[in-house]
Amino acid sequence: MKRLENKVAVITGASGGLGKQTAIRFAQEGARLAICARTESKLMATKEICEEAGAEVLAMTADVSQYDQLKAFVEKITERFGAIDVLVNNAATISAPHPFIEHTLADLEEGLHSGLYGTWHMMQLCYPYMKEKGGSIINFGSIGGVAGMEGFAAYAAEKEAIRGLSRVAAREWGAMNIRVNCVCPNVITDRFEEGIESSPKEVRDYLMASMSQNAMHRPGRAYEDATPAILFLACDDSRWVTGQTLHVEGGNWISA
């Protein structure tokens, strides 16, 4: 039996990157999918791939920083499927690295609205449809916040706030059999590749080398290396795991 057979899985930011690859993996595992993103053409390309894998897919354009759009998205999901079993809060924006002293409130607010507020709202909106039979919520942290990477003040603040929120919700919602966990991934995605293609060779070489600075001494790939871990947290195999942060980055961050 496929591990997500007949489960309704919601994935934000599914037009590309890890969100797209997670949607494809979930489709192959039997999930019924509800996906959203801001770019309709790319979102529909993801929808088509998932349908070819046999999934029933609801795709709707939505900006996670806009509460009304998220509310309409969740209403469509429950109208179509009548349930929500898995929520993957993947969507977020990240600005180019620059020193904290040069960060503005606009930088912070962009991260908070797309990442933290979007995650917060989706959790609250989906809760009524999970509280009766349980479910799994997967949020995204980042090594940028855990390790305090230079140049990523706003992004780190947003991601660490998401990890804190996830731990609180895990405690409060555990009695309803709702599991809440975080993933901190570091893998190459299509968006990463698009970004480095337009960069000077020395920048490309540096970025690719940095992706191999881990215990495995190689870059990770979104579909092959990250989506199996996300699938584990989504399916019943992780039924006794909640309130945790799972680092999926080849041992870039190793700690007791």
Side-chain angles (χ1 to χ4, degrees), residues 46 62 130 144 166 174 184 186 234 255:
T46 302
M130 289 183 157
S166 300
C184 288
N186 188 25
S255 166

Side-chain angles (χ1 to χ4, degrees), residues 43 50 55 59 67 77 89 92 98-99 108 115 120 130 137 156 199 217 220 222 243 248 253:
L43 181 65
C50 293
Y67 175 79
I77 295 168
N89 282 309
H98 55 290
L108 178 60
W120 177 294
M130 289 183 157
I137 297 174
S199 302
H217 300 288
V248 188
W253 171 264

Side-chain angles (χ1 to χ4, degrees), residues 176-232:
M176 279 74 78
N177 200 32
I178 300 172
R179 297 175 289 108
V180 186
N181 292 287
C182 270
V183 174
C184 288
N186 188 25
V187 290
I188 290 176
T189 66
D190 53 354
R191 287 175 174 163
F192 178 88
E193 291 177 326
E194 288 170 4
I196 65 172
E197 281 178 4
S198 58
S199 302
K201 183 180 184 302
E202 59 273 17
V203 174
R204 291 200 305 272
D205 292 344
Y206 169 78
L207 290 173
M208 289 304 297
S210 70
M211 296 297 288
S212 298
Q213 292 175 1
N214 54 57
M216 303 293 189
H217 300 288
R218 67 170 179 84
R221 294 282 174 178
Y223 178 83
E224 295 87 345
D225 297 314
T227 64
I230 298 169
L231 172 62
F232 166 71

Side-chain angles (χ1 to χ4, degrees), residues 2-208:
K2 294 181 178 180
R3 282 176 285 181
L4 295 179
E5 193 77 53
N6 296 321
K7 289 187 182 293
V8 177
V10 180
I11 305 171
T12 66
S15 61
L18 191 49
K20 176 180 180 178
Q21 298 306 315
T22 300
I24 294 169
R25 174 73 71 173
F26 281 17
Q28 294 166 343
E29 290 289 340
R32 303 162 76 194
L33 292 172
I35 59 176
C36 75
R38 291 178 298 181
T39 307
E40 183 176 16
S41 59
K42 292 184 177 181
L43 181 65
M44 293 306 162
T46 302
K47 178 178 186 286
E48 183 177 348
I49 295 170
C50 293
E51 287 176 336
E52 288 173 354
E56 180 182 357
V57 185
L58 167 66
M60 181 172 169
T61 54
D63 183 339
V64 296
S65 69
Q66 303 298 314
Y67 175 79
D68 289 345
Q69 294 182 28
L70 293 181
K71 185 172 183 291
F73 178 47
V74 173
E75 287 172 352
K76 285 287 186 183
I77 295 168
T78 55
E79 179 184 309
R80 172 81 168 265
F81 297 118
I84 295 173
D85 300 293
V86 179
L87 168 62
V88 181
N89 282 309
N90 166 74
T93 60
I94 179 171
S95 57
H98 55 290
F100 168 51
I101 198 63
E102 296 175 9
H103 271 68
T104 66
L105 278 180
D107 293 325
L108 178 60
E109 288 173 354
E110 179 184 43
L112 291 177
H113 281 278
S114 67
L116 176 61
Y117 292 4
T119 296
W120 177 294
H121 290 319
M122 283 300 291
M123 289 172 67
Q124 289 189 334
L125 287 166
C126 292
Y127 170 78
Y129 306 98
M130 289 183 157
K131 66 179 182 178
E132 296 301 326
K133 62 174 185 175
S136 175
I137 297 174
I138 302 162
N139 296 329
F140 280 73
S142 171
I143 190 66
V146 175
M149 291 174 61
E150 295 177 76
F152 293 94
Y155 186 68
E158 163 215 334
K159 289 301 186 180
E160 286 298 276
I162 289 172
R163 289 209 307 141
L165 170 63
S166 300
R167 292 192 292 268
V168 171
R171 289 190 184 277
E172 293 186 357
W173 295 354
M176 279 74 78
N177 200 32
I178 300 172
R179 297 175 289 108
V180 186
N181 292 287
C182 270
V183 174
C184 288
N186 188 25
V187 290
I188 290 176
T189 66
D190 53 354
R191 287 175 174 163
F192 178 88
E193 291 177 326
E194 288 170 4
I196 65 172
E197 281 178 4
S198 58
S199 302
K201 183 180 184 302
E202 59 273 17
V203 174
R204 291 200 305 272
D205 292 344
Y206 169 78
L207 290 173
M208 289 304 297

